[in-house]
């Protein structure tokens, strides 16, 4: 008997992050003369043809987002804070002198995509989610050194498990002393492609040192921890109800994470003291070694909440919380998953329900 498309996907072996896409994508163009060309169009996922002189390819006018749809325990699908991602997408575009996609068009694209391909997200496996990747790039065929006069917006997606692993296995990280991710007045707070390209060499150095990720320091004094590049960082001091959480402030050189923002709220709701405060590498090490600092975790759309078990800085190496996932980390990871999967109330209206074709209407 032939399997349906959904059954087929459900039994397909898992692929790596972003290796295998769903069947559709959404597209919308912008030109200086005409603005946005109507409404987002749903198309079969496939290759596109572009001029070799496409400006985005040469001058890097490319911004993107990453957001997820989750299957809730009642079987329906909901995206997590798509409005916050729409806002950040606009801010990133503004920083790169690109046109800003209105929020309602961003949401329409998200809904159209999830409505069409959402059925490919199997039920019954809470480790899976549908990752959505909106991207905007300069598509004008012209090498004049100025903001392009034509852009293309695309939204594609894929079903994915955990970014590092499906389990909360602690990762090891390397402090980058040789490179900076961003500079004051630069593009550090924009989600632009160049920030990621500029991080790959340091990421490779981390991998060669046996670490999963790079920790970026502030570019001026080179001692204050900023982010992990694709993920924000939180530090926990103390234990139990009196534990306090610290995350680096948004100085303009790090990405304002949507998950970071959600966790600040969820932690405060649980009664933890939460502070946006600078923390140096020296403090991180000394306080981890003395036991004052009990946990460190990374957070992001892809990474969710991932414990950091070990850090390296040149020849120095230290464990955090004995290298094991901490209680606060796990509590917040569960709180976020419960929200995503509809096991917890959503008092902030962070979930946007999506009607999926071929499935029962959204409850
Ligand atoms: C995300 O968490 O969505 C990110 O953007 C990180 C990375 C996968 C690009």
């Amino acid at each position: 008997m032939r399997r349906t498309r959904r059954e087929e996907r459900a039994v397909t072996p898992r692929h790596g992050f972003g290796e295998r896409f769903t069947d559709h994508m959404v597209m919308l163009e912008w030109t200086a003369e005409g603005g946005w060309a109507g409404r987002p169009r749903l198309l079969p996922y496939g290759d596109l043809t572009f001029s070799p002189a496409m400006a985005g390819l040469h001058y890097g006018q490319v911004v993107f987002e990453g957001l997820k749809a989750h299957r809730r325990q009642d079987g329906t699908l909901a995206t997590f804070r798509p409005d916050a991602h729409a806002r950040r997408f606009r801010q990133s575009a503004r920083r790169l002198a690109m046109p800003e996609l209105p929020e309602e068009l961003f949401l329409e694209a998200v809904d159209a995509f999830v409505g069409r391909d959402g059925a490919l997200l199997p039920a019954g496996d809470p480790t899976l989610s549908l990752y959505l990747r909106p991207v905007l790039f300069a598509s004008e065929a012209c090498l004049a050194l100025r903001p392009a006069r034509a852009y293309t917006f695309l939204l594609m997606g894929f079903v994915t498990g955990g970014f590092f692993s499906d389990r909360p296995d602690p990762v090891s990280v390397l402090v980058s002393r040789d490179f900076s991710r961003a500079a004051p007045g630069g593009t550090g707070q924009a989600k632009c492609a160049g920030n990621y390209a500029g991080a790959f060499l340091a990421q490779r150095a981390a991998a060669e040192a046996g670490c999963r990720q790079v920790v970026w320091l502030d570019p001026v004094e080179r001692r204050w921890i900023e982010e992990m590049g694709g993920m924000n960082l939180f530090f926990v001091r103390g234990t139990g109800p009196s534990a306090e959480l610290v995350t680096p402030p948004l100085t303009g050189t790090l990405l304002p994470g949507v998950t970071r923002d959600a966790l600040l709220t969820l932690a405060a709701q649980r009664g933890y003291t939460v502070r946006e405060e600078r923390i140096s590498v020296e403090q991180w090490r000394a306080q981890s070694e003395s036991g004052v600092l009990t946990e460190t975790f990374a957070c992001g759309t892809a990474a969710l909440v991932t414990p950091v078990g070990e850090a390296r800085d040149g020849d120095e190496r230290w464990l955090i919380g004995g290298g094991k996932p901490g209680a606060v980390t796990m509590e917040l990871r569960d709180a976020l998953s419960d929200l995503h999967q509809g096991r917890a109330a959503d008092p902030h209206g962070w979930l946007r329900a999506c009607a999926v074709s071929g499935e029962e209407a959204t409850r």
Side-chain angles (χ1 to χ4, degrees), residues 179-230:
F179 303 104
S180 291
R181 178 186 166 276
T187 58
Q189 65 185 341
K191 201 164 175 70
C192 60
N195 287 347
Y196 294 81
F200 286 152
L201 195 55
Q203 180 60 37
R204 186 189 284 166
E208 283 166 1
C211 295
R212 295 298 296 271
Q213 281 289 321
V214 183
V215 171
W216 296 105
L217 301 182
D218 80 280
V220 178
E221 295 181 63
R222 301 190 68 93
R223 57 185 289 236
W224 305 104
I225 297 165
E226 296 226 310
E227 62 163 280
M228 255 167 53

Side-chain angles (χ1 to χ4, degrees), residues 3 16 18 44-45 87 131 153 187-188 204 210 240 256 281 295 333-334 349:
R3 288 198 187 101
Y45 178 83
R87 275 196 296 281
Y131 184 91
F153 166 76
T187 58
R204 186 189 284 166
V281 190
E295 305 178 32
R333 183 181 163 98
D334 290 347

Side-chain angles (χ1 to χ4, degrees), residues 179-344:
F179 303 104
S180 291
R181 178 186 166 276
T187 58
Q189 65 185 341
K191 201 164 175 70
C192 60
N195 287 347
Y196 294 81
F200 286 152
L201 195 55
Q203 180 60 37
R204 186 189 284 166
E208 283 166 1
C211 295
R212 295 298 296 271
Q213 281 289 321
V214 183
V215 171
W216 296 105
L217 301 182
D218 80 280
V220 178
E221 295 181 63
R222 301 190 68 93
R223 57 185 289 236
W224 305 104
I225 297 165
E226 296 226 310
E227 62 163 280
M228 255 167 53
M231 285 148 236
N232 292 112
L233 280 165
F234 276 80
F235 304 87
V236 181
R237 293 197 183 105
T239 54
S242 61
E244 69 173 34
L245 281 90
V246 172
T247 192
L250 300 177
T251 52
T253 48
L254 60 150
L255 195 78
V258 175
T259 308
R260 171 190 182 278
D261 181 74
L263 291 173
L264 284 172
T265 302
L266 292 177
Q269 266 171 4
R270 276 162 178 71
Y272 294 117
T273 303
V274 181
R275 284 214 293 267
E276 296 182 65
E277 191 180 281
R278 297 198 301 183
I279 169 167
S280 68
V281 190
E282 292 71 27
Q283 288 168 334
W284 186 24
R285 180 165 65 82
Q287 293 177 7
S288 300
E289 286 174 349
S290 71
V292 168
L293 195 149
T294 48
E295 305 178 32
T296 299
F297 62 85
C299 65
T301 296
L304 191 64
V305 172
T306 299
V308 175
E310 186 185 345
R312 283 185 57 173
D313 180 17
D315 293 336
E316 312 270 10
R317 184 189 274 259
W318 62 98
L319 286 182
I320 302 129
K324 301 204 169 59
V328 177
T329 303
M330 292 309 293
E331 182 185 347
L332 292 174
R333 183 181 163 98
D334 290 347
L336 197 58
S337 301
D338 286 348
L339 194 56
H340 288 159
Q341 283 150 28
R343 288 189 297 268

Side-chain angles (χ1 to χ4, degrees), residues 17 64 66-67 131 133 163 191 196 230 300-303:
F17 183 86
F64 69 94
L67 68 156
Y131 184 91
R133 171 54 62 84
F163 186 71
K191 201 164 175 70
Y196 294 81
T301 296

